[in-house]
Amino acid sequence: MTSNQAYDVEKIRADFPILGREVYGKSLVFLDSAASAQKPRQVISAMVEMMENDYANVHRGAHFLSQVATEKFESAREKVAQFINADKDEIIFTRGGTEAMNLVASCFGAAHLQAGDQVVTSVMEHHANIVPWQMLAETKGIEVLFVPVDARGVLDMAVFEGLLGPKVKMVSLAHVSNVLGTVNPVEEIISLAHSKDIPVMLDGCQGITHGKVDVKALDVDFYVFSGHKLYGPSGIGVLYGKKDLMNTLPPHQGGGDMIETVTLEGTTFKESPHRFEAGTPAIVEAVGLGAAIDYVSSVGMDAISVHEKLLLEQAMAKLSALEGIELIGTAPNKVSVLAFNVTGIHPLDVATVLDRQGIAVRVGQHCAEPLIKAMGYEATIRASFGMYNTLEEVDKLVTGVEKAKMMFGA
Amino acid sequence: MSLELYQEYVEALEMLDDDLRFEYIIDLGKAAPETPFPEDFMRDENLMHGCMSRVWIIHRVEDGKHNFSGESDAVIVKGLVSMMTKSFSGLTADELAGITLDHVRKLNLGALTTQRQVGMMAMLKHMQKLAAV
Ligand SMILES: Cc1ncc(COP(=O)(O)O)c(C=O)c1O
């Protein structure tokens, strides 16, 4: 451990069983945490413990186990709330980031959007923050406006401000881009939108994992993230929604757990969050997410952020020292998500050579086709660094890229 | 039916270990196509969808025999598409329809991820579809 490192990364790595495995006889170098992060033993054990000892359906039984399960489930909600400085009843559990954004688009759309209304999003969005709005454009006749990005992958704030006309009823933008790593100026975005009484949703799927998020300080209206990128399980996501706003929205799905009374003539719905959680929720996954939040909090989001910055800086410096490396996304405010290409070699060829070295990267359009095209590419390689990656792994990535250059003669 | 070229590939791959198989595919990709794939066939209607790289396959029938030629912008995929199109050219539509997942598996690409094998199956299906219409 060198003095400028935030923590002893080897101690962290020891908590992640999967990092000890080999692929093709080589140690795994996992640089795909932006797609989904690996899970520490603490998360795995919490889920196993729940299933072995404390499992029953929640909010339903009068029996002992149901109460234990309900307490654990609701305590996970409490952990999520504390983690982002929200109130407990502003936390809605979903299946993931995608479902959370679809929920907002569909319920906010039903309550507050009419034909001709506009929603502002951007070119750098994940498809999960484009397609739901396009679906509303089809069904309701709303219009979707896209803020462009510059060559560094920075949002054009002048255009953004200009777009905020009287027809705009919602701004929905990424907190952090899953391709460029760009951290958007969310305080400025929110204050500009609020000055025109426009609510803001932030897609925090990549924002939540790289630093502290405080929804109250941000004054954001909706904040969305998934558990599986935050070292928790898949199958669980979070929608934070301001309580008063959420209670203006109709339910997303109908069923058990979300109702006050049901008669054959009709139904009255519970308030948020339960109104939006129809059916048996992802009980074990919620508890796993709670454990993941305990885990990252014990390490410290600030420390994680310092550690990842160091990895990013080294990776950018060492890769750009090679000939023919095109870094895609060079915003001054950037997290440890690094898209790049090697001039003259298809990204899939590079990624396949890396894979053979045991290095896992993502290749393709990263569910952000409009952005990849806007940056002038068909596909890119993306290396993303998490809390458990090391400087040695950065070096392995660089060596792997050199090897690909050699093999494909570029 | 003659699967001579296919057999040659199977035998060549059998003799190699994983790392060498990988290099073999890359070399095939670098060499391919021996009969040049005409630039003007790299059009959208010849594009195979659902790949991480772009794959074009064209198809000709002569005397009831189906011949294929393919191209990709990724070298590794070009190696695979070249192996697939050469292996299964010169067959009748019925013979081609009889080519199965097992034939593809025997090409024994242990060196490549399952995703590439899925891609090769997709290539086979695509070729069978081209021959069936
Ligand atoms: C920025 C961003 N938004 C949304 C998503 C979708 O999240 P999920 O896979 O949890 O539905 C992802 C992850 O793929 C993402 O990176």
Side-chain angles (χ1 to χ4, degrees), chain A residues 24 346 349 355-356 363 407, chain B residues 19 30 52 74-76 113:
Chain A
Y24 310 117
H346 195 282
D349 285 329
D355 180 47
R356 295 287 306 153
V363 63
M407 289 181 84
Chain B
D19 277 328
K30 285 181 178 167
M52 275 198 236
V75 175
I76 289 164
T113 61

Side-chain angles (χ1 to χ4, degrees), chain B:
Chain B
M1 76 179 147
S2 155
L3 287 175
E4 227 170 278
L5 266 174
Y6 167 74
Q7 289 301 345
E8 272 178 36
Y9 288 127
V10 170
E11 279 159 32
L13 286 163
E14 255 167 17
M15 292 186 329
L16 303 173
D17 70 16
D18 272 2
D19 277 328
L20 288 174
R21 270 186 207 132
F22 182 60
E23 285 174 23
Y24 180 82
I25 306 288
I26 293 176
D27 288 342
L28 277 182
K30 285 181 178 167
E34 275 148 31
T35 42
F37 190 93
E39 277 281 326
D40 58 328
F41 280 91
M42 285 159 77
R43 291 189 300 245
D44 282 357
E45 73 249 37
N46 295 320
L47 204 56
M48 223 183 96
H49 290 283
C51 306
M52 275 198 236
S53 63
R54 287 183 294 174
V55 175
W56 297 267
I57 294 181
I58 54 169
H59 162 247
R60 297 262 175 283
V61 202
E62 279 162 48
D63 300 333
K65 306 260 159 103
H66 295 266
N67 292 311
F68 300 92
S69 176
E71 176 59 280
S72 170
D73 50 359
V75 175
I76 289 164
V77 178
K78 195 156 150 179
L80 298 176
V81 77
S82 147
M83 193 157 68
M84 290 294 290
T85 51
K86 284 183 186 151
S87 286
F88 305 124
S89 278
L91 305 180
T92 66
D94 280 351
E95 287 170 340
L96 190 65
I99 303 295
T100 65
L101 179 58
D102 279 341
H103 285 92
V104 176
R105 272 210 204 97
K106 279 221 196 73
L107 287 170
N108 199 349
L109 297 168
L112 292 159
T113 61
T114 30
Q115 199 157 17
R116 293 297 89 69
Q117 300 217 24
V118 170
M120 291 174 74
M121 270 316 292
M123 286 175 204
L124 176 63
K125 292 242 169 68
H126 187 71
M127 287 158 61
Q128 287 169 333
K129 215 169 77 197
L130 288 175
V133 289

